[in-house]
Amino acid sequence: MFAKQLFNTYENFKELKLLNRRFKHKDILSLIVNRNPDIFKITEIGKSFEDREIFMLKTGTGKRKVLLWSQMHGNESTATQAFFDIFKFFENPGILHKEATEIINSCTLYFIPMLNPDGAELFQRRNAQDIDINRDALKLQTPEGNLLMQYRDIIHPEFGFNLHDQDIWYSAGKTKFPATISFLAPAYDTEKCMNENRKKSMQLIAEMTEVLQNFIPNQIGRYSDDFMETAFGDNIQKRGTSTILIESGGFPGDIEKQFVRKLSFTAILSALYSVSKNNFEKKSVSDYESVPLNKKNNLFDFILRDAVITRNGKTYTADIGIRSRSLADKDIYEVFDIGDLSQNFAYSEINLNREQINDISIGQNADYLIEKHFNNPNLI
Ligand SMILES: [Zn+2]
């Protein structure tokens, strides 16, 4: 099976110049311009608000056009890393040569890596105008969003891959399992109607879900399909491109999301192969609907249960929930919630059995709690 071969031989394709979540435009420039020109045609399609070049990499000669864009949100870099792995795959597929050839003979692929380089510079969601590009699909006031829509309209792709990262506290259904990969076939109207294009998005997602079940059973989620008037996925779906949202989420022990990157690589290439063989047509809308809905804010990085907290000379019993927060250069851990967290789960948790904790408050740095109560804080 192609997906298993991809997964098992991934190390042959991994771009070793990118090994963690924080990297900048300058870190990927040479990885773009030095690609094998026999495989990739590179075009600078425009510039960001702060004049960083945005590129499109094109490969393949087939009739099925697929547009893939990553990192519209500057701090969501997992799929950008997976793109560079995918580029290496097409340049040197090794034992998977036959499948790679089938994809590029059936499809023409257009990749836009790091659509928001200014946001990536600061590892922040928004662009340098402080606009969330993914709420700019109608007004197109961001140069980056404008470029994406402009090229969507020039290329008129059959499929669009809208690639993001979601926070790691979503679970797949109301379970303790993180939604390591989540999908959405966006609606194109408020009534959430169905047409052939949207059905194809759902079928392709069902195919990717089946593939990923081999590697992360129970850790695949689905987003609510409420129509968002100003978002790109919804509007690109509306313009007739079957759009697939993939969100890279959390996995235990994978702070830098390198395992999630591998899953993303496997899912995207499996989907492209499925398009080239039309395999996804065997899937149904109900296959898509059987993927559990994500539950937001269900998880914490750490929970300390059943603490006795002292404040103002009084004591009370509560659970303490800790979450990480990403800054430009590092992650910090903070007390995020105090109270009854019996309905929540954590990547790591401990029962304090009524141990006393002095003077704790929301927003407080939690490093000392993690160091004291968890042997290996890098476990999450
Ligand atoms: Zn995003």
Side-chain angles (χ1 to χ4, degrees):
M1 177 190 167
F2 180 51
K4 282 191 177 159
Q5 289 176 305
L6 282 171
F7 191 83
N8 292 335
T9 58
Y10 171 72
E11 295 305 321
N12 297 338
F13 308 116
K14 182 169 182 172
E15 175 51 70
L16 297 173
K17 293 205 171 72
L18 301 173
L19 290 173
N20 62 60
R21 288 179 292 149
R22 288 178 179 82
F23 53 90
K24 301 183 181 190
H25 183 257
K26 67 174 168 46
D27 300 316
I28 63 166
L29 255 184
S30 69
L31 295 177
I32 291 175
V33 298
N34 295 327
R35 296 244 74 92
N36 181 343
D38 295 335
I39 309 291
F40 286 100
K41 178 171 177 278
I42 319 282
T43 313
E44 183 186 322
I45 56 173
K47 288 197 160 70
S48 68
F49 191 75
E50 290 182 341
D51 286 331
R52 293 186 174 89
E53 305 92 335
I54 297 171
F55 295 93
M56 177 177 282
L57 292 85
K58 178 183 169 192
T59 189
T61 53
K63 285 199 299 244
R64 322 284 302 262
K65 292 180 179 174
V66 185
L67 175 63
L68 309 94
W69 60 96
S70 74
Q71 215 169 343
M72 163 188 293
H73 293 136
N75 57 352
E76 300 179 8
S77 62
T78 304
T80 302
Q81 296 178 66
F83 273 6
F84 288 101
D85 306 334
I86 290 170
F87 300 158
K88 285 187 72 173
F89 168 80
F90 282 115
E91 285 172 348
N92 193 3
I95 57 161
L96 298 174
H97 180 79
K98 184 172 145 282
E99 288 85 354
T101 306
E102 281 193 59
I103 293 172
I104 57 173
N105 285 344
S106 326
C107 303
T108 303
L109 310 175
Y110 303 83
F111 294 89
I112 307 177
M114 195 186 272
L115 184 66
N116 179 6
D118 301 346
E121 198 68 16
L122 301 171
F123 203 61
Q124 68 176 27
R125 178 181 177 90
R126 291 169 184 259
N127 80 343
Q129 299 162 287
D130 277 336
I131 293 178
D132 181 340
I133 297 172
N134 206 22
R135 303 291 178 269
D136 187 40
L138 296 180
K139 299 279 184 193
L140 298 175
Q141 291 304 295
T142 59
E144 302 87 359
N146 192 35
L147 273 177
L148 174 59
M149 202 55 108
Q150 192 185 322
Y151 275 83
R152 193 322 301 181
D153 288 349
I154 292 170
I155 296 166
H156 241 281
E158 179 182 356
F159 289 98
F161 283 73
N162 183 15
L163 302 168
H164 291 253
D165 281 64
Q166 67 183 0
D167 71 50
I168 63 171
W169 312 301
Y170 278 94
S171 58
K174 193 177 184 318
T175 67
K176 65 178 180 182
F177 301 111
T180 301
I181 295 282
S182 295
F183 293 109
L184 173 67
Y188 57 88
D189 61 8
T190 48
E191 289 77 36
K192 306 179 188 181
C193 291
M194 185 68 78
N195 61 9
E196 267 311 301
N197 287 328
R198 188 165 183 228
K199 184 180 168 194
K200 279 162 64 179
S201 310
M202 292 179 173
Q203 289 172 310
L204 201 50
I205 288 171
E207 172 100 21
M208 284 187 278
T209 302
E210 186 179 271
V211 161
L212 291 176
Q213 288 290 359
N214 289 298
F215 313 116
I216 45 166
N218 306 316
Q219 289 177 223
I220 303 156
R222 175 168 63 98
Y223 261 92
S224 146
D225 62 352
D226 289 343
F227 180 65
M228 292 184 67
E229 280 85 353
T230 57
F232 271 89
D234 308 56
N235 280 286
I236 287 179
Q237 185 86 277
K238 192 173 174 177
R239 291 185 188 208
T241 291
S242 293
T243 305
I244 288 115
L245 172 77
I246 307 181
E247 297 267 1
S248 293
F251 186 82
D254 191 22
I255 293 177
E256 295 302 333
K257 294 198 171 184
Q258 298 300 296
F259 178 66
V260 186
R261 161 190 183 173
K262 177 176 173 177
L263 295 170
S264 178
F265 164 88
T266 306
I268 293 168
L269 281 174
S270 299
L272 296 175
Y273 186 63
S274 179
V275 168
S276 72
K277 306 284 278 183
N278 267 327
N279 286 338
F280 66 92
E281 288 183 350
K282 295 175 198 142
K283 298 289 179 211
S284 66
V285 171
S286 62
D287 291 332
Y288 171 80
E289 287 170 344
S290 69
V291 180
L293 279 171
N294 276 336
K295 185 160 168 50
K296 192 176 170 68
N297 283 329
N298 194 30
L299 304 180
F300 288 84
D301 297 72
F302 299 94
I303 294 179
L304 298 95
R305 298 196 186 278
D306 203 20
V308 171
I309 299 173
T310 62
R311 186 181 287 188
N312 296 343
K314 299 178 179 175
T315 62
Y316 54 99
T317 305
D319 306 322
I320 300 165
I322 295 169
R323 284 202 181 135
S324 55
R325 188 153 65 86
S326 286
L327 307 180
D329 57 342
K330 62 176 180 185
D331 300 327
I332 56 171
Y333 290 89
E334 295 174 338
V335 175
F336 191 85
D337 202 355
I338 297 173
D340 178 1
L341 302 182
S342 59
Q343 301 306 305
N344 297 89
F345 302 95
Y347 286 87
S348 301
E349 58 179 73
I350 188 171
N351 195 314
L352 289 185
N353 295 314
R354 304 187 59 77
E355 185 178 325
Q356 191 168 314
I357 304 268
N358 294 322
D359 264 343
I360 189 167
S361 55
I362 303 273
Q364 180 183 314
N365 186 290
D367 287 349
Y368 78 101
L369 286 172
I370 296 169
E371 275 163 33
K372 181 168 177 202
H373 295 286
F374 296 91
N375 290 333
N376 184 358
N378 294 323
L379 259 181
I380 68 134

